[in-house]
Amino acid sequence: MLNAVAGDVESQPMCPQHPEREAVCTCVRCGRYACASCERDEGRCSECARLSALEVPDSRERAHRATVLQYVSAGTSLVGLLYELLLVPEFGNPLAAERLSRWGVLVLAMAVVVATQVTLLMWVHRVVRQLKALGADIGMSPARAVWMWLIPLLNWVKPYHVMRDIAEKLGGASFVASLPLQLWWAANVLARILEKAEAKLLVRETATADTTTRDVVGLLSSVCAVAAALLYVQLIKDLQTRLDRRREGIEEPEAPVAGDEAAAA
Ligand SMILES: [Zn+2]
Ligand SMILES: [Zn+2]
């Protein structure tokens, strides 16, 4: 950014948007002068900041897809839950057919998990990209944010931080506090632990194995998975609504100037 020379009152350039105000810099993108209230991140004028923010497509479609898949995910977990509640006690001892359908449910659940994860991460990627363009960088690239869900060990903690940072950039501490972030992440972590435990019990299972433990673990795992999916839906919707509002503000060319006037008054 080129700072206008201080003290040189005679040749002081004025802001084209606000002719009564002195320019403090020239925009690195279009080269026009900008006053303090027109100056935006990375040395751009307000108009250039607005235009570059709008160059990133919005994430409404991706948010919709991600929430639909979370509902499907909750649905499959619910099927698992009903299975635990209704079918297992009736048979008592595990039959071959029962074990087969249990594996069928697991395979279906895995396919849903993958699809759910893909749509979720596509949404996260687009959201982080938009925030960067809006001058609200969360401190990592969109690709890096996505990797936080995929890198072993890191993915037990980091997705929480990414979602929290996104929320903070969108609405500050009060918005973060209004979201069920901790509950969401606790449900996710618990669902993962129980799912792993259930899979282990399923593999080790013999005719003499303690099926009650496995049933209880399976039941809890399903409950947590349903809760995690529904909380994901709420978070995606809340964050996307905030983001939509932020974008609507910049889609109206007059809005930022009007906002500046109000702030200056
Ligand atoms: Zn500009
Ligand atoms: Zn100005």
Side-chain angles (χ1 to χ4, degrees), residues 32-180:
R32 275 181 296 202
Y33 290 118
C35 71
S37 65
C38 288
E39 185 188 358
R40 292 290 180 274
D41 287 343
E42 294 163 10
R44 293 171 303 181
C45 69
S46 54
E47 180 62 10
C48 286
R50 190 179 74 81
L51 289 175
S52 57
L54 291 176
E55 278 164 14
V56 180
D58 75 49
S59 52
R60 276 165 228 198
E61 192 60 37
R62 290 187 181 195
H64 178 69
R65 268 205 302 266
T67 48
V68 167
L69 259 299
Q70 291 291 346
Y71 278 131
V72 173
S73 176
T76 37
S77 300
L78 214 58
V79 169
L81 189 62
L82 292 175
Y83 186 88
E84 305 286 347
L85 285 176
L86 303 176
L87 298 179
V88 176
E90 263 179 45
F91 289 109
N93 277 329
L95 306 164
E98 188 210 325
R99 234 180 286 180
L100 199 68
S101 64
R102 181 179 279 275
W103 278 110
V105 169
L106 275 186
V107 169
L108 173 70
M110 278 312 285
V112 172
V113 163
V114 171
T116 307
Q117 192 84 334
V118 168
T119 52
L120 169 75
L121 293 181
M122 283 174 75
W123 175 75
V124 169
H125 189 278
R126 182 63 60 79
V127 168
V128 174
R129 213 180 127 199
Q130 284 173 95
L131 283 176
K132 196 173 169 60
L134 288 163
D137 201 345
I138 66 160
M140 62 174 78
S141 70
R144 196 177 149 77
V146 165
W147 275 108
M148 294 302 122
W149 265 263
L150 304 174
I151 298 172
L153 298 180
L154 276 185
N155 63 10
W156 288 92
V157 188
K158 281 289 176 182
Y160 171 77
H161 291 160
V162 172
M163 292 289 262
R164 192 198 56 199
D165 289 353
I166 290 172
E168 192 169 9
K169 289 292 175 189
L170 281 171
S174 59
F175 181 52
V176 172
S178 75
L179 297 171

